Amino acid sequence: MPQVVHEFDWPDRVVVGTVGSPGARTFYLQARTGARSASVVLEKEQAALLAEKLDELLGEITADPGTGITVPAQTPAELLDDEPLDQPVEEEFRTGTLRLGWDPRTAQVVIEAYPLPEPRDDGELAFGEIDDEPDEVLLVRIPVGTARAFVQRTRQVVRAGRPACPFCGRPVDADGHVCALPDDV
């Protein structure tokens, strides 16, 4: 079966957003060009790590005078995107592995998302591995300004979840929270 590549080069929009209420949110990485869009499911931790590593990559690009690229330190106002995900949100796949890179030829950040691997014969999942030829891939190329806006929005979306308990640090649900007692009490 041929590989399905959801490719977006200079997309109109690329965001991380959620569906559901805090504590029961599903995170999506969504890209759109015109009427064509693709949405893949991420774990909250994957979204947070993607934003962190993308911010680090932007810092490396800024620090390297050889790139000739100026990365905005702050998100340009015209690139701010606080809108909800485009509807309908139709999941292409659940993300297992993300890759992040820089294409100096086009001066674009490259985000690749690969599906969660199928269980091996022993029933275990091979996390972090990428099939030589996965069935699908989401491939997004964006300029540095869009990448800066992506980092800001993703961090806001991740932080918008349930507040942390000031005593134990665990999330506090809307119906309350009971702290677990320390083991030594």
Side-chain angles (χ1 to χ4, degrees):
M1 176 163 70
Q3 183 184 52
V4 176
V5 179
H6 308 279
E7 187 170 5
F8 295 86
D9 195 10
W10 298 90
D12 297 333
R13 184 175 198 222
V14 59
V15 295
V16 166
T18 62
V19 172
S21 58
R25 298 184 298 170
T26 301
F27 285 74
Y28 290 91
L29 169 58
Q30 186 179 74
R32 175 179 43 85
T33 297
R36 186 176 66 88
S37 69
S39 302
V40 298
V41 174
L42 296 172
E43 293 297 324
K44 178 179 180 179
E45 293 79 12
Q46 287 175 307
L49 189 58
L50 178 58
E52 177 185 330
K53 294 301 181 184
L54 184 48
D55 192 40
E56 288 176 14
L57 178 61
L58 292 173
E60 291 171 14
I61 294 166
T62 300
D64 182 358
T67 65
I69 301 296
T70 302
V71 178
Q74 301 295 320
T75 301
E78 66 273 11
L79 296 179
L80 291 174
D81 183 348
D82 294 324
E83 296 299 315
L85 292 170
D86 293 336
Q87 299 294 322
V89 178
E90 296 176 5
E91 174 185 329
E92 303 296 340
F93 57 83
R94 186 169 282 284
T95 303
T97 301
L98 290 162
R99 285 186 179 170
L100 186 59
W102 171 250
D103 185 347
R105 185 179 46 84
T106 62
Q108 291 176 301
V109 172
V110 181
I111 301 170
E112 298 175 9
Y114 295 89
L116 189 64
E118 295 294 322
R120 298 185 303 233
D121 291 339
D122 62 4
E124 295 294 317
L125 291 176
F127 287 105
E129 295 179 12
I130 299 175
D131 294 336
D132 289 337
E133 295 193 27
D135 293 341
E136 287 184 88
V137 62
L138 174 65
L139 176 61
V140 182
R141 292 183 188 91
I142 55 177
V144 293
T146 302
R148 179 65 71 206
F150 180 89
V151 168
Q152 179 178 326
R153 177 191 168 108
T154 300
R155 286 179 169 159
Q156 289 171 341
V157 168
V158 167
R159 285 192 305 261
R162 298 172 289 173
C165 173
F167 302 109
C168 70
R170 293 180 44 214
V172 177
D173 293 318
D175 60 348
H177 169 76
V178 177
C179 292
L181 293 174
D183 290 336
D184 58 350
V185 174

